[in-house]
Short mmCIF file of all heavy atoms in Angstrom, two decimals:
data_model
loop_
_atom_site.label_atom_id
_atom_site.label_comp_id
_atom_site.label_asym_id
_atom_site.label_seq_id
_atom_site.Cartn_x
_atom_site.Cartn_y
_atom_site.Cartn_z
N LYS A 56 12.34 0.54 -12.36
CA LYS A 56 12.55 1.66 -11.41
C LYS A 56 13.19 1.11 -10.15
O LYS A 56 12.74 0.19 -9.53
CB LYS A 56 11.11 2.28 -11.07
CG LYS A 56 11.21 3.39 -9.94
CD LYS A 56 9.81 3.82 -9.61
CE LYS A 56 9.91 4.83 -8.45
NZ LYS A 56 8.61 5.12 -7.90
N ILE A 57 14.23 1.83 -9.59
CA ILE A 57 14.84 1.46 -8.38
C ILE A 57 13.91 1.97 -7.27
O ILE A 57 13.55 3.19 -7.21
CB ILE A 57 16.24 2.04 -8.23
CG1 ILE A 57 17.13 1.48 -9.32
CG2 ILE A 57 16.85 1.84 -6.77
CD1 ILE A 57 18.57 2.10 -9.24
N ILE A 58 13.51 1.09 -6.38
CA ILE A 58 12.68 1.50 -5.30
C ILE A 58 13.35 1.28 -3.86
O ILE A 58 12.80 1.67 -2.84
CB ILE A 58 11.36 0.74 -5.32
CG1 ILE A 58 11.60 -0.82 -5.18
CG2 ILE A 58 10.55 1.03 -6.61
CD1 ILE A 58 10.36 -1.60 -4.63
N GLY A 59 14.52 0.66 -3.91
CA GLY A 59 15.19 0.43 -2.63
C GLY A 59 16.59 -0.12 -2.95
O GLY A 59 16.92 -0.41 -4.05
N GLY A 60 17.32 -0.33 -1.78
CA GLY A 60 18.66 -0.94 -1.96
C GLY A 60 19.38 -0.93 -0.65
O GLY A 60 18.98 -0.54 0.39
N PHE A 61 20.67 -1.42 -0.81
CA PHE A 61 21.58 -1.45 0.24
C PHE A 61 22.97 -1.84 -0.25
O PHE A 61 23.11 -2.28 -1.40
CB PHE A 61 21.09 -2.56 1.34
CG PHE A 61 21.22 -3.91 0.91
CD1 PHE A 61 22.32 -4.68 1.02
CD2 PHE A 61 20.10 -4.51 0.17
CE1 PHE A 61 22.43 -6.06 0.69
CE2 PHE A 61 20.24 -5.90 -0.22
CZ PHE A 61 21.33 -6.56 -0.02
N GLY A 62 23.93 -1.57 0.57
CA GLY A 62 25.29 -1.89 0.22
C GLY A 62 25.86 -2.86 1.31
O GLY A 62 25.34 -2.90 2.45
N LEU A 63 26.98 -3.57 0.93
CA LEU A 63 27.72 -4.35 1.83
C LEU A 63 29.19 -3.81 1.70
O LEU A 63 29.74 -4.00 0.63
CB LEU A 63 27.70 -5.80 1.39
CG LEU A 63 28.35 -6.87 2.34
CD1 LEU A 63 27.80 -6.89 3.69
CD2 LEU A 63 28.17 -8.26 1.69
N ILE A 64 29.59 -3.18 2.74
CA ILE A 64 30.87 -2.45 2.63
C ILE A 64 31.77 -2.72 3.85
O ILE A 64 31.37 -3.37 4.84
CB ILE A 64 30.63 -0.86 2.54
CG1 ILE A 64 29.83 -0.32 3.81
CG2 ILE A 64 29.86 -0.53 1.26
CD1 ILE A 64 29.76 1.17 3.83
N GLU A 65 33.02 -2.15 3.79
CA GLU A 65 33.96 -2.37 4.80
C GLU A 65 33.80 -1.58 6.02
O GLU A 65 33.87 -2.14 7.15
CB GLU A 65 35.40 -2.01 4.29
CG GLU A 65 36.52 -2.35 5.27
CD GLU A 65 37.89 -2.19 4.68
OE1 GLU A 65 37.96 -2.18 3.50
OE2 GLU A 65 38.85 -2.21 5.51
N ASN A 66 33.31 -0.40 5.90
CA ASN A 66 33.09 0.52 7.08
C ASN A 66 32.00 1.46 6.80
O ASN A 66 32.08 2.33 5.83
CB ASN A 66 34.40 1.21 7.43
CG ASN A 66 34.24 2.02 8.79
OD1 ASN A 66 33.20 2.61 8.99
ND2 ASN A 66 35.27 2.06 9.47
N ASP A 67 31.03 1.51 7.68
CA ASP A 67 29.89 2.47 7.40
C ASP A 67 30.05 3.70 8.37
O ASP A 67 29.20 3.91 9.20
CB ASP A 67 28.53 1.74 7.73
CG ASP A 67 27.34 2.47 7.23
OD1 ASP A 67 27.50 3.51 6.52
OD2 ASP A 67 26.30 2.26 7.69
N PHE A 68 31.16 4.40 8.22
CA PHE A 68 31.41 5.60 8.88
C PHE A 68 31.56 5.44 10.40
O PHE A 68 31.31 6.32 11.13
CB PHE A 68 30.37 6.71 8.58
CG PHE A 68 30.30 7.10 7.13
CD1 PHE A 68 29.20 6.63 6.36
CD2 PHE A 68 31.32 7.79 6.52
CE1 PHE A 68 29.10 7.00 4.94
CE2 PHE A 68 31.23 8.09 5.09
CZ PHE A 68 30.09 7.74 4.35
N MET A 69 31.96 4.27 10.79
CA MET A 69 32.20 3.99 12.19
C MET A 69 33.55 4.37 12.60
O MET A 69 34.53 4.23 11.79
CB MET A 69 31.85 2.52 12.54
CG MET A 69 30.40 2.13 12.34
SD MET A 69 29.16 3.02 13.16
CE MET A 69 29.64 2.57 14.92
N ASN A 70 33.75 4.82 13.88
CA ASN A 70 35.07 5.07 14.40
C ASN A 70 35.74 3.70 14.60
O ASN A 70 35.37 2.96 15.46
CB ASN A 70 34.93 5.93 15.70
CG ASN A 70 36.24 6.23 16.26
OD1 ASN A 70 37.29 5.47 16.20
ND2 ASN A 70 36.26 7.35 16.88
N THR A 71 36.73 3.43 13.78
CA THR A 71 37.32 2.06 13.85
C THR A 71 38.18 1.80 15.17
O THR A 71 38.43 0.70 15.47
CB THR A 71 38.23 1.79 12.61
OG1 THR A 71 39.26 2.79 12.51
CG2 THR A 71 37.40 1.71 11.34
N ASP A 72 38.53 2.87 15.86
CA ASP A 72 39.16 2.71 17.17
C ASP A 72 38.07 2.18 18.22
O ASP A 72 38.56 1.38 19.10
CB ASP A 72 39.77 4.02 17.76
CG ASP A 72 40.89 4.47 16.97
OD1 ASP A 72 41.63 3.65 16.20
OD2 ASP A 72 41.26 5.73 16.98
N GLU A 73 36.93 2.53 17.94
CA GLU A 73 35.84 2.14 18.87
C GLU A 73 35.19 0.79 18.44
O GLU A 73 34.72 0.09 19.28
CB GLU A 73 34.81 3.28 18.88
CG GLU A 73 33.50 3.05 19.65
CD GLU A 73 33.60 3.22 21.13
OE1 GLU A 73 34.62 3.78 21.68
OE2 GLU A 73 32.70 2.83 21.79
N CYS A 74 35.09 0.63 17.23
CA CYS A 74 34.26 -0.43 16.59
C CYS A 74 34.93 -1.02 15.39
O CYS A 74 34.93 -0.39 14.34
CB CYS A 74 32.92 0.10 16.25
SG CYS A 74 31.74 -1.04 15.69
N SER A 75 35.48 -2.21 15.43
CA SER A 75 36.20 -2.76 14.29
C SER A 75 35.50 -3.94 13.64
O SER A 75 36.18 -4.81 12.97
CB SER A 75 37.60 -3.19 14.87
OG SER A 75 37.50 -4.20 15.79
N PHE A 76 34.22 -4.03 13.75
CA PHE A 76 33.42 -5.13 13.07
C PHE A 76 33.51 -4.89 11.58
O PHE A 76 33.68 -3.82 11.01
CB PHE A 76 31.98 -5.06 13.52
CG PHE A 76 31.72 -5.17 14.94
CD1 PHE A 76 30.79 -4.24 15.60
CD2 PHE A 76 32.30 -6.21 15.66
CE1 PHE A 76 30.54 -4.33 16.92
CE2 PHE A 76 31.96 -6.31 17.10
CZ PHE A 76 31.09 -5.42 17.70
#
Side-chain angles (χ1 to χ4, degrees):
K56 178 185 176 189
I57 296 176
I58 62 159
F61 66 92
L63 183 62
I64 61 174
E65 185 172 348
N66 185 324
D67 192 16
F68 300 109
M69 296 302 294
N70 181 325
T71 55
D72 292 336
E73 172 82 11
C74 183
S75 59
F76 301 130

